[in-house]
Amino acid sequence: MTTRTCPCGLPEPYDSCCGRFHAGASSAPTAETLMRSRYSAFVKGDAGYLLRTWHPRTRPARLELDPGMRWTGLEILDTAQGTAFHTTGTVTFRASYRGGSLHERSRFERVDGAWVYVDGEFSE
């Protein structure tokens, strides 16, 4: 990843990729795009965006991010549903950080037309 590309791993500049979602200019059109934008929000330390894109049913009251965490890459392993034609979807991914990685299968739903993160199951 260069400083010009988005942290989500797509070869686009941050401002025209996940940055537009973080700024509120538009909403992620698919569950995978939301997953990528949420990963970028973790990289950028944008807890507000993470809370705004969390399902109201499962969203915590507050979110404190570790300022020492250094995310180093995102790999999308699988997606199921989660397009404009669906109301639910899943994204399985591996997010790497300095010192390790986490592997999760995340569930997403549409609320008032917008994709939101519901919850996830961690794998080894």
Side-chain angles (χ1 to χ4, degrees):
M1 179 176 78
T2 69
T3 56
R4 292 180 294 228
T5 58
C6 191
C8 80
L10 295 177
E12 298 178 41
Y14 167 75
D15 288 343
S16 61
C17 193
C18 294
R20 64 193 165 120
F21 305 130
H22 295 172
S26 61
S27 297
T30 67
E32 180 182 335
T33 305
L34 180 63
M35 174 62 240
R36 289 181 178 278
S37 71
R38 285 177 57 84
Y39 171 82
S40 292
F42 275 103
V43 171
K44 299 284 189 177
D46 189 345
Y49 180 78
L50 293 167
L51 289 170
R52 285 192 308 276
T53 58
W54 211 312
H55 197 291
R57 181 176 76 238
T58 58
R59 178 175 46 226
R62 67 178 191 277
L63 182 63
E64 294 183 30
L65 301 177
D66 179 355
M69 177 65 89
R70 295 293 176 251
W71 296 98
T72 59
L74 176 66
E75 180 183 4
I76 302 297
L77 303 173
D78 187 44
T79 60
Q81 298 186 346
T83 71
F85 302 104
H86 300 107
T87 57
T88 64
T90 61
V91 179
T92 304
F93 68 92
R94 180 175 297 112
S96 300
Y97 55 89
R98 215 174 270 156
S101 67
L102 66 86
H103 183 190
E104 180 179 315
R105 181 178 175 267
S106 296
R107 292 186 322 125
F108 298 88
E109 290 181 11
R110 282 188 186 265
V111 172
D112 297 329
W115 285 106
V116 292
Y117 170 78
V118 177
D119 59 19
E121 298 172 357
F122 292 104
S123 304
E124 296 265 337

